[in-house]
Amino acid sequence: MKAEQQYIDLFRQYEHVVCRHSTPVMNALRTKALEDFTRLGFPKVKEEDYQYTDIGQAFAPDYGLNINRVTIPVNPYDVFRCDVPNLSTSLFFVVNDSFYEPKQNGQLPEGVFAGGLKDFSEKYPGIAERYYGKAASSEKDGLIALNTMLAQDGFVIYVPKNIVVERPIQLVNIFRSDVDTMANRRMLIIMEEYSSARLLVCDHSIDDRKFLATQVVEIFAAEGAYFDYYDLEESSISTTRFSSVHVKQEASSNVLVNGITLNNGLTRNNYYIELNGEQAETTLCGMSILDNKQQLDTYSHITHAVPHCTSNELFKNVLNDDAIGIFSGRILVKQNAQKTAAYQTNRNLCMTNSARMYSKPQLEIYADDVKCSHGMTTGELDETALFYMQSRGIPKDEARMMLSVAFMTDVIEHVRLDVLKERLIQLVDKRFRGELAKCAGCNICK
């Protein structure tokens, strides 16, 4: 418990400071989170779902935490330049784990809130209390418990009933510090009945320091709600991120979650999706391009609790050098969930003999009238296609790059923003050419 103890001691010593710079809604969950974290600790390597990622080792170093909410000397509008040209968004920033007040409101429809979690829970404490921490419980997950214990701010989207937010909302998470730093981020998405919105989240690290992030995302989609969540990670080899996305869907809701890792150090992405209303539909997909010693560990758990729901899951990874990829996915179909359609696919390319991919797709079905399937393949590039392209005069390296880009196409096709889709194809091309060694959205990197 050595790694855990430093965080337990820190919180006990500075609990009053943590609470003073936050709100009653967030503070109300801290005591229980401390109890849970003390009992659970970090997930252990010997546990089935964490056997390839040493969580305790990642948290063992002494990182700095900004619990006093000291203003970071950076203007994100000066250092960040959106890498998706022609994408008109309502733009917001989180620096480390503090919401940065925007220059403008983002032209949001009346009644819609997009902004800081601290501000939202002070203005609308009833709504915040109804949802905050209700999808992501600290009782069974030590990482969520730690985040709940230490998080002081975050980002919220609240869309009232029948409101359609036409312009996409973009949140940029910037890591900025002159010392090794840990950030504890929260996101809360509340989509009321028949509302609609799209969120693009971009992660960037702009300093040559070690960064560690815990991130908890809670998404509530009420009846008929429509929501897209795009998570674009372009950080650095010295950034470690542990993210948990929790989605609760009601009848006839439609949620898309798409996680794209173009540059990272060590990443663990957890996805928990519950389909709790009939005719709900979810699409969960993701892709990664890994090289050097980068590692991406993906875990998903989709629960079909009621009849007539659909889930489509697709994850793809391309691994080069000594990179490591892990995928563990589980689809649970409960006894009452008849007429379920659930599909899970994991496809991987290992470009070198030293790259490693570990995959475990799983189905757990207790209903008898369902359409469910799962599949996994891990291999190399198609030598026949490679030979054919070379025979047409395309150099081998260029042919390999083109086939690798094509391998990712069906994940990108799930993007429901045409401008973002076009740009992702270009970013993937640049990544395979080695042109995204640092985050591509910062003037500092130019």
Side-chain angles (χ1 to χ4, degrees):
M1 291 286 288
K2 183 178 180 181
E4 290 88 346
Q5 195 61 49
Q6 65 174 325
Y7 296 100
I8 294 170
D9 293 343
L10 174 76
F11 180 75
R12 286 175 173 166
Q13 183 176 356
Y14 294 102
E15 179 179 3
H16 63 290
V17 180
V18 172
C19 292
R20 186 171 72 245
H21 291 283
S22 192
T23 65
V25 171
M26 301 182 72
N27 294 340
L29 304 185
R30 298 192 197 279
T31 300
K32 178 65 164 55
L34 173 62
E35 295 173 356
D36 291 335
F37 182 69
T38 303
R39 173 175 52 85
L40 296 168
F42 292 119
K44 305 299 187 291
V45 175
K46 64 182 180 181
E47 296 179 20
E48 179 182 1
D49 295 326
Y50 284 89
Q51 56 185 309
Y52 301 106
T53 302
D54 192 335
I55 307 296
Q57 183 181 38
F59 281 86
D62 185 14
Y63 289 92
L65 284 87
N66 187 12
I67 60 175
N68 275 304
R69 304 285 95 181
V70 175
T71 301
I72 304 298
V74 60
N75 183 342
Y77 291 93
D78 292 336
V79 303
F80 177 80
R81 179 167 50 82
C82 181
D83 206 27
V84 188
N86 303 318
L87 178 62
S88 177
T89 64
S90 299
L91 183 61
F92 301 89
F93 291 92
V94 167
V95 179
N96 297 339
D97 53 14
S98 296
F99 180 71
Y100 192 96
E101 289 297 333
K103 288 183 177 180
Q104 55 187 4
N105 195 14
Q107 300 179 5
L108 295 169
E110 185 177 354
V112 173
F113 182 98
L117 174 56
K118 182 179 177 182
D119 186 31
F120 180 78
S121 58
E122 288 174 342
K123 291 182 177 178
Y124 310 100
I127 299 175
E129 185 178 4
R130 190 185 315 155
Y131 291 100
Y132 180 72
K134 298 303 187 293
S137 172
S138 64
E139 290 185 355
K140 297 181 180 180
D141 191 319
L143 286 172
I144 294 174
L146 178 67
N147 179 280
T148 304
M149 193 170 77
L150 294 175
Q152 295 170 280
D153 199 1
F155 183 72
V156 174
I157 295 176
Y158 168 65
V159 185
K161 184 177 180 179
N162 295 325
I163 299 295
V164 174
V165 183
E166 296 288 352
R167 175 181 290 192
I169 298 169
Q170 184 176 13
L171 173 67
V172 180
N173 288 320
I174 293 179
F175 255 129
R176 169 73 176 93
S177 181
D178 54 6
V179 298
D180 295 351
T181 297
M182 174 183 177
N184 298 286
R185 297 167 173 162
R186 299 289 295 218
M187 275 187 270
L188 178 61
I189 315 299
I190 305 167
M191 305 295 298
E192 290 192 345
E193 291 85 350
Y194 303 99
S195 62
S196 177
R198 294 164 294 179
L199 171 65
L200 168 63
V201 179
C202 305
D203 273 14
H204 297 277
S205 303
I206 65 174
D207 285 306
D208 189 18
R209 290 289 181 177
K210 292 182 179 180
F211 295 114
L212 172 65
T214 70
Q215 179 170 286
V216 176
V217 182
E218 297 180 284
I219 300 171
F220 297 88
E223 181 177 354
Y226 188 101
F227 183 71
D228 288 2
Y229 174 67
Y230 303 102
D231 177 19
L232 179 59
E233 187 178 12
E234 286 185 272
S235 56
S236 69
I237 192 69
S238 59
T239 299
T240 298
R241 188 184 87 160
F242 297 96
S243 173
S244 292
V245 178
H246 301 254
V247 182
K248 288 184 177 292
Q249 294 185 231
E250 301 304 325
S252 301
S253 60
N254 188 306
V255 173
L256 166 66
V257 176
N258 196 331
I260 299 167
T261 298
L262 296 181
N263 201 28
N264 73 319
L266 167 63
T267 300
R268 165 77 181 209
N269 288 328
N270 294 327
Y271 300 99
Y272 301 90
I273 299 177
E274 296 181 14
L275 302 170
N276 297 318
E278 293 195 23
Q279 305 299 333
E281 181 175 351
T282 191
T283 302
L284 172 62
C285 51
M287 68 181 191
S288 73
I289 303 169
L290 308 173
D291 53 23
N292 297 311
K293 295 184 181 295
Q294 294 172 318
Q295 178 171 325
L296 173 64
D297 189 346
T298 300
Y299 175 83
S300 68
H301 193 292
I302 298 177
T303 300
H304 286 259
V306 298
H308 300 286
C309 291
T310 302
S311 65
N312 289 283
E313 183 175 1
L314 173 65
F315 282 92
K316 286 193 167 185
N317 305 281
V318 176
L319 302 94
N320 216 324
D321 302 326
D322 298 315
I324 298 175
I326 304 103
F327 172 79
S328 178
R330 180 186 297 272
I331 294 176
L332 170 62
V333 181
K334 293 188 175 182
Q335 186 173 1
N336 292 332
Q338 305 294 345
K339 302 296 182 180
T340 286
Y343 309 99
Q344 181 189 82
T345 305
N346 175 226
R347 300 279 184 260
N348 313 289
L349 288 178
C350 289
M351 311 293 280
T352 62
N353 291 331
S354 55
R356 293 289 181 267
M357 183 70 209
Y358 305 93
S359 182
K360 187 173 64 173
Q362 304 163 80
L363 295 176
E364 187 176 350
I365 302 172
Y366 297 99
D368 52 18
D369 185 8
V370 300
K371 293 180 180 179
C372 299
S373 67
H374 69 309
M376 183 277 292
T377 59
T378 298
E380 301 176 347
L381 283 175
D382 187 335
E383 290 296 329
T384 302
L386 194 61
F387 174 79
Y388 176 82
M389 295 176 72
Q390 288 180 268
S391 70
R392 291 293 186 269
I394 301 175
K396 185 176 181 179
D397 288 345
E398 182 73 11
R400 286 170 61 88
M401 188 278 299
M402 292 173 65
L403 288 174
S404 298
V405 173
F407 178 74
M408 295 299 195
T409 300
D410 48 356
V411 176
I412 298 175
E413 281 300 314
H414 282 292
V415 173
R416 299 191 284 210
L417 282 170
D418 289 340
V419 174
L420 177 59
K421 183 186 300 184
E422 294 169 5
R423 187 55 177 168
L424 281 174
I425 294 173
Q426 298 175 25
L427 288 175
V428 168
D429 183 287
K430 289 174 65 177
R431 178 64 174 88
F432 279 121
R433 295 180 187 275
E435 298 175 9
L436 289 180
K438 281 202 168 185
C439 79
C442 303
N443 292 332
I444 287 176
C445 302
K446 296 299 179 182

